[in-house]
Structure formats: C-alpha cells, structure tokens
Amino acid sequence: MEKEPALETRCSTDLQDKWIEIQDSLKKKMKIEDDFNWKIPTTEVQNLEEKTENSDSCGAILKYVGGVDLSFSKADPSIACATLVVLDLNTLQVVYEDFSIVKLHTPYIPGFLAFREAPVLLELLEKMKKGSLPFYSQILMVDGNGILHPRGMGLACHLGVLANIPTVGIGKNAMRSTQDASKPIFISVGHRVSLTSAIKIVKLSCRFRVPEPIRQADIRSKACLRKHGLS
C-alpha cells in the first residue's frame, strides 16, 4: 500500500528534524582552527627539519593528503562508488586507493548530504586505519562543502568530526561572486584546520583547477563504475 502524501510529508519532516539535532550536536564538537601536530611544507620548514636532530618524529611535515568522492550510476542514482585516495604531497602521486560500491537507501535532501554519503566514507577511512598503514591521511579533502553550508555543517565538517581528522571542503558548484569568475572552486573549513592553512594546502595539491586528491578520487570512482558496468 502506498503512503498517503500527508504521511510522507510528516515522515520527511520528522527525519529532517532528527538530522538537524544531529548536526547541531556535531557542530558543538567542530573546530575551525589548526589542531594538528604537523607543519605545512615550505622550503624553510623542510630545511629546518632536516637540520634538527629530532626531526624523525612521525608527522613533523605534512606528507599524506587524502581525498574522497562518490560517483553515481546514471542508470540507477541510488548506486554509487565511494572512493578514498591518499597522495604523497611531495609528488602528488597516489600511494593508496580503496573503493566501495554501495546501494544508498538514505534519500538525498538538500542540506543533508552528509547523512547519505558520510557512512560509506567513514567505513573506507576506518578500514584504512585498521590496516595500520604508514600513509594514513593526515588531512582529508572532501568533495563537498564544510562550513559553507546553510547550517554551517556540510559533509566535510560532518565527516571530520566523526572520523576525528582534519578536513577541508572543496565545493565545485556555488554562487559566483562575479561574472568573470569562471569555474572557481570554493574552499571551506571542515574540521581541525583554519581557512588560512586549508588554502595553503589546497594550493600545494593543485595541478589543475581541482585539487589532485579530489580529482583523483573523482576519476577513479567513475572508472570503477565503468569497470563494473554501472556508469
């Protein structure tokens, strides 16, 4: 039996109210200042570290930058490939890659993207963490917004707080400030990193318009769908 429209509306409203409560709770834990024990690479910092006897401490210089993205099947928008990549910031080469093809049952509602996409991305991060790999990402770029969000709690914030990892939101679709701003990207704080540091790290990771961690995650997620006949 199909639900009556009034019941569907009430269920949707109840769900959104619950999600808003969760967002508000996570927002209280969010940090928008630098909270990490590594330094952003610069020539001066790298030279200093090389001359310091105790410079072998793990994470002294930012080296591993992750990127996550989901690509969706055009035939069935509920089927997606979530991809996690980690790049060496020195070379911008991928040193780790994992993916998960999933069927998403949570509906997409504007403003609540995290509730649809975060669970599968958290699973990929947890899998990498349990593997005790030497290149677990020190900071994660997310294909989605951070505090640039109607309630200041976009996917990058949501994911960062739950995974307790510094995150940066990379938005590719937002309002342009001028007509001359052709295809800009929009950088926003996710969690445990300031906007100043986020911008520096994004600039270090760009070969093209989109930062390489996000670009590679996007390329590989789409290739995964094609490989499995789901594009």
Side-chain angles (χ1 to χ4, degrees):
M1 180 182 296
E2 294 184 0
K3 293 182 181 179
E4 295 184 3
L7 179 59
E8 288 183 344
T9 300
R10 187 169 72 247
C11 288
S12 177
T13 301
D14 290 344
L15 182 61
Q16 291 184 46
D17 288 343
K18 179 182 178 181
W19 284 350
I20 289 173
E21 288 182 10
I22 294 173
Q23 285 180 332
D24 289 342
S25 176
L26 292 176
K27 192 173 182 179
K28 293 176 182 178
K29 302 176 183 179
M30 191 175 71
K31 298 178 181 180
I32 58 173
E33 67 280 345
D34 291 336
D35 179 30
F36 44 75
N37 60 1
W38 36 260
K39 297 181 178 68
I40 300 172
T42 65
T43 302
E44 292 77 12
V45 170
Q46 289 172 335
N47 289 339
L48 176 63
E49 289 295 321
E50 289 172 359
K51 295 177 182 178
T52 304
E53 292 181 1
N54 298 322
S55 63
D56 58 348
S57 59
C58 181
I61 296 289
L62 174 61
K63 185 175 182 180
Y64 297 117
V65 180
V68 290
D69 191 20
L70 273 79
S71 290
F72 293 85
S73 169
K74 294 179 181 178
D76 184 351
S78 68
I79 295 177
C81 177
T83 300
L84 164 65
V85 297
V86 179
L87 277 65
D88 184 322
L89 189 57
N90 293 324
T91 63
L92 295 184
Q93 296 299 308
V94 175
V95 296
Y96 177 87
E97 174 185 6
D98 196 9
F99 69 89
S100 178
I101 296 177
V102 295
K103 186 173 181 65
L104 301 174
H105 299 286
T106 303
Y108 168 68
I109 300 176
F112 301 98
L113 177 67
F115 294 93
R116 180 172 168 85
E117 297 190 358
V120 64
L121 297 175
L122 285 167
E123 287 181 4
L124 290 174
L125 286 168
E126 186 62 24
K127 180 181 175 183
M128 180 171 61
K129 191 173 185 179
K130 287 182 177 178
S132 299
L133 300 171
F135 33 71
Y136 186 79
S137 58
Q138 294 160 285
I139 189 167
L140 187 70
M141 293 187 187
V142 180
D143 185 12
N145 290 319
I147 62 174
L148 186 61
H149 178 272
R151 278 177 297 282
M153 194 69 198
L155 175 60
C157 302
H158 194 112
L159 194 60
V161 172
L162 291 179
N164 191 26
I165 185 173
T167 53
V168 178
I170 306 295
K172 291 178 285 189
N173 298 299
M175 182 185 72
R176 292 191 298 176
S177 58
T178 68
Q179 290 297 320
D180 296 328
S182 177
K183 293 186 177 180
I185 60 170
F186 299 85
I187 303 168
S188 59
V189 172
H191 181 51
R192 293 180 53 191
V193 62
S194 67
L195 182 59
T196 298
S197 293
I199 291 172
K200 289 179 181 178
I201 295 166
V202 169
K203 286 182 176 179
L204 287 171
S205 66
C206 283
R207 281 177 171 162
F208 304 99
R209 168 183 167 247
V210 177
E212 202 64 12
I214 295 294
R215 181 173 171 270
Q216 288 298 326
D218 177 64
I219 290 172
R220 290 161 192 259
S221 61
K222 286 181 170 63
C224 177
L225 288 176
R226 289 194 298 271
K227 180 180 178 180
H228 291 83
L230 297 170
S231 59

